[in-house]
Amino acid sequence: MSEKISGAEILIRGLIAEGVDRVFGYPGGAIIPVYDKLYDYTDSITHVLTRHEQGAIHAAQGYARVSGRTGVVIVTSGPAATNVITGLSDAMMDSTPLVVITGQVFSSLLGSDAFQETDVVGITQPITKWAYQIRRAEDIEEALAKAFHIANTGRPGPVVLDFAKNAQNDLTEWRPYHKCNFIRSYIPSPDIHEADLRRVADLINAAKRPMILSGHGVMISGAEEALRQLAEKANIPVASTLLGLSTMPSGHPLYKGMLGMHGNIDPNFNTNRADLIVAIGMRFDDRVTGETSGYAPQAKIVHIDIDASEFDKNIRTDATIHGDARKALEGLLPMVREAEHSAWLDSFDIANGVEQKEVIADAIGGSDPMAPPHMGEVALKVSLAAGADPVLVTDVGQNQMLSARYFRYSAPRSIITSGGLGTMGFGLPAAIGAKMAAPHRNVCYFAGDGGFQMTMQELGTIMQYGTAVKMIVLNNDYLGNVRQWQAMFYSNRFSQTPMINPDFNTIANAYGIANESVQHRCDLDGAIRRMIEHPGAFLLNVRIDERDMVFPMTPNGAAVDHIIINEENDIFSMPENGK
């Protein structure tokens, strides 16, 4: 005799069949049947109760980005569903695989303005790969299988399943769950054409001043080893986007640093001197290109991406490879010849020497032991103290740019940050999810005092689950990134950027979280050591001078090689005769 079970139980069994062992969420009226059935499956699925639905989706993002698995979120209808909108948009822009399950009113009430009814599908369609409303229990299995297939294939992204309450309650026959591996007209991993590989290989072999730009797609596809082999064989310098950090180890001799508005001088400057740019798994975002009319004027542009809609969207290409980054790089390897580009590589070292002297020495140094620590100094020292393969999770702002620049990466999937959307408040819940995905790695979360307070309630999640996140709050009583722009471009008119902050250490004490405060540089090393050695969560409240700024900087609307190196607005120029 066939077994009849509720739609809610079909959902839970389907999640287990998809290999899900952890979900993030917050219960409510329209999703109660699912939570009631989840009660019977706690041996198979761990539910993480966050303190806000936005916290749930950012935690799922952190979990997905570190693990490479699909993050799962369960929330109720109405305001709960709308509270995950920011996370959906963030995940869509940063290609993070999520399945988000929202409760919905009974099908019979749809369109009646019932209590906590919201048009979730209508709201989320523009910011998801797929959004679908389940109105019948019989449709759950197919919809769930399709959701997981779409979320974590091709260019990953978020999917929403809006789950009517009657579909959760109704009984239907249980059939063995079948994963989806094919959807007509959806081709997540296109075949790579031999002619495209040959065209790109010929361009690489002919280039005298080539550069590789490594984006998030390298990490998503697991192409780090293929990238290293290609770069070493052809002796090509590699720079990364913000989300591409850790696709090459920081100490690799061919790795030249981060691209973009606050990236390293040598790759940004040499972008406009290269004769070939090989961009892999990146969007040519405006923060990387600067003014597009002045971008890489001497270079032919090669773009490798699994999403063909990115080709020629922002930067004109000379050759493209449409496909998975790892497969593309592995296909190129036998076609690319060994080469030497010593003079070209030397130019990176010269530019880097200027940055070391003019920028980095100030960002991580200082002789006054009683002065507040610099932000870059804190990030570098934390990463060096954090042991093998630490994970950096950032919020958004100055803390993000400086921690990303000065943290050291030795393993893939070592940075979690909100790149495309720039979501303040992202960092703390994302760090929780990252630590749950990689409990054996030190997860170091950097935030400014503004972003920290946006999702500070998730300290309750840390308290409940004992999640050993190392939290570093860079505290200057300002919205620091906006303040920097106001200082540089708006005549020091600090409109609505000063902040009166609570005592973060007292708040940490209220949640039972170990903590310490640092006012002076001479106290920093000991405090970092105690934080890393502490077995549980730890909050380090670091006092920062509000005048501390992030350099280098390419202003909005400027060419990528128009690089400001200090508060006096001095522009980088290559030393004459390379000296």
Side-chain angles (χ1 to χ4, degrees):
M1 186 173 180
S2 62
E3 180 186 16
K4 285 199 170 185
I5 60 175
S6 69
E9 187 163 10
I10 291 174
L11 176 73
I12 301 301
R13 290 189 185 184
L15 291 175
I16 294 169
E18 289 286 351
V20 175
D21 56 13
R22 187 180 300 270
V23 300
F24 301 84
Y26 205 101
I31 200 69
I32 280 181
V34 169
Y35 273 88
D36 180 68
K37 193 49 63 177
L38 188 62
Y39 193 83
D40 298 330
Y41 287 88
T42 53
D43 290 342
S44 300
I45 295 182
T46 297
H47 181 279
V48 179
L49 177 66
T50 58
R51 298 306 183 260
H52 192 284
E53 292 90 358
Q54 184 179 357
I57 193 165
H58 291 331
Q61 288 176 269
Y63 181 87
R65 296 262 290 273
V66 168
S67 68
R69 302 170 66 187
T70 301
V72 179
V73 180
I74 304 176
V75 298
T76 193
S77 62
T82 58
N83 279 342
V84 301
I85 298 301
T86 296
L88 287 169
S89 185
D90 194 289
M92 188 67 174
M93 291 196 73
D94 286 352
S95 303
T96 304
L98 298 179
V99 171
V100 179
I101 298 156
T102 61
Q104 185 55 276
V105 301
F106 288 91
S107 296
S108 59
L109 296 176
L110 290 170
S112 69
D113 291 333
F115 178 66
Q116 292 190 336
E117 180 192 359
T118 302
D119 182 3
V120 174
V121 171
I123 293 171
T124 61
Q125 274 183 331
I127 52 171
T128 58
K129 286 187 75 176
W130 185 52
Y132 179 75
Q133 188 173 77
I134 301 173
R135 300 186 184 186
R136 304 187 316 147
E138 293 83 356
D139 299 333
I140 296 167
E141 179 193 351
E142 181 180 354
L144 186 67
K146 185 176 179 182
F148 273 89
H149 181 59
I150 292 172
N152 207 8
T153 55
R155 181 176 181 174
V159 169
V160 167
L161 295 178
D162 191 39
F163 204 176
K165 195 168 184 179
N166 59 284
Q168 300 171 47
N169 287 330
D170 290 348
L171 300 178
T172 190
E173 182 179 340
W174 167 250
R175 301 184 302 272
Y177 186 87
H178 295 288
K179 293 186 179 182
C180 176
N181 56 24
F182 174 78
I183 299 171
R184 187 183 299 275
S185 79
Y186 175 59
I187 306 173
S189 186
D191 293 332
I192 295 175
H193 299 298
E194 180 88 7
D196 293 339
L197 291 171
R198 176 54 60 192
R199 164 70 172 153
V200 170
D202 289 345
L203 289 171
I204 293 173
N205 291 333
K208 303 300 182 184
R209 299 184 306 280
M211 271 183 71
I212 292 174
L213 313 186
S214 177
H216 193 201
V218 173
M219 187 183 300
I220 291 169
S221 70
E224 293 91 349
E225 178 61 19
L227 170 66
R228 182 191 63 79
Q229 290 182 28
L230 181 69
E232 290 177 352
K233 184 176 183 181
N235 205 28
I236 303 176
V238 178
S240 73
T241 66
L242 175 63
L243 292 181
L245 289 168
S246 80
T247 54
M248 283 278 280
S250 299
H252 195 286
L254 288 172
Y255 179 66
K256 302 304 176 183
M258 185 174 78
L259 299 158
M261 176 177 281
H262 291 294
N264 293 97
I265 288 176
D266 42 329
N268 280 333
F269 183 79
N270 276 338
T271 292
N272 279 12
R273 278 121 197 105
D275 64 1
L276 178 68
I277 298 288
V278 181
I280 311 167
M282 59 169 286
R283 298 181 292 118
F284 285 111
D285 174 78
D286 62 288
R287 290 296 171 102
V288 166
T289 65
E291 171 54 48
T292 55
S293 64
Y295 182 78
Q298 303 178 37
K300 293 187 181 298
I301 305 294
V302 169
H303 197 172
I304 302 170
D305 207 288
I306 202 163
D307 184 356
S309 71
E310 295 295 345
F311 298 150
D312 300 304
K313 185 172 76 175
N314 297 320
I315 297 295
R316 179 193 56 79
T317 60
D318 294 278
T320 63
I321 299 175
H322 181 207
D324 176 79
R326 181 179 59 79
K327 293 178 181 178
L329 294 178
E330 290 174 349
L332 283 172
L333 267 170
M335 299 181 180
V336 169
R337 295 194 297 267
E338 293 185 4
E340 288 291 337
H341 301 108
S342 54
W344 173 234
L345 288 166
D346 286 346
S347 71
F348 285 82
D349 294 338
I350 294 166
N352 181 57
V354 175
E355 182 171 359
Q356 292 286 339
K357 180 180 177 181
E358 301 293 337
V359 178
I360 295 175
D362 288 337
I364 63 174
S367 58
D368 184 358
M370 302 306 291
H374 289 297
M375 287 183 275
E377 172 186 20
V378 178
L380 177 61
K381 290 187 172 183
V382 167
S383 75
L384 294 176
D389 304 338
V391 178
L392 169 66
V393 182
T394 85
D395 211 83
V396 169
Q398 288 179 318
N399 69 88
Q400 177 186 35
M401 293 295 100
L402 281 168
S403 61
R405 276 177 53 87
Y406 292 103
F407 211 80
R408 294 293 176 262
Y409 310 98
S410 57
R413 296 187 179 271
S414 291
I415 181 170
I416 310 298
T417 191
S418 174
L421 199 63
T423 303
M424 288 181 68
F426 169 88
L428 181 56
I432 294 170
K435 184 62 178 177
M436 290 178 174
H440 58 289
R441 302 175 73 180
N442 265 323
V443 173
C444 303
Y445 153 65
F446 281 77
D449 42 356
F452 178 62
Q453 291 180 85
M454 285 193 170
T455 50
M456 188 169 59
Q457 72 278 354
E458 298 307 330
L459 293 174
T461 307
I462 288 175
M463 177 179 65
Q464 181 163 343
Y465 297 97
T467 313
V469 175
K470 310 303 181 183
M471 298 167 276
I472 302 94
V473 178
L474 302 173
N475 186 353
N476 63 3
D477 296 321
Y478 268 89
L479 298 176
N481 206 47
V482 183
R483 185 194 185 282
Q484 175 167 337
W485 284 53
Q486 290 171 332
M488 294 182 67
F489 308 121
Y490 292 90
S491 305
N492 291 310
R493 290 161 59 87
F494 300 124
S495 176
Q496 303 307 311
T497 46
M499 303 180 73
I500 298 176
N501 290 326
D503 185 334
F504 297 135
N505 297 93
T506 298
I507 291 171
N509 285 332
Y511 284 101
I513 294 172
N515 62 91
E516 199 167 328
S517 182
V518 174
Q519 301 285 332
H520 309 297
R521 178 177 286 110
C522 59
D523 299 323
L524 181 62
D525 289 348
I528 290 173
R529 184 186 69 254
R530 290 185 288 274
M531 174 182 71
I532 297 300
E533 291 177 353
H534 182 74
F538 197 103
L539 187 146
L540 188 62
N541 180 17
V542 183
R543 184 68 207 183
I544 297 297
D545 192 322
E546 69 269 13
R547 295 167 297 180
D548 206 0
M549 294 191 185
V550 186
F551 292 107
M553 180 181 185
T554 298
N556 262 358
V560 69
D561 60 350
H562 181 91
I563 303 169
I564 300 174
I565 60 174
N566 55 36
E567 295 176 51
E568 287 72 42
N569 285 316
D570 291 335
I571 305 301
F572 168 80
S573 60
M574 185 69 85
E576 290 185 19
N577 301 319
K579 298 179 181 178

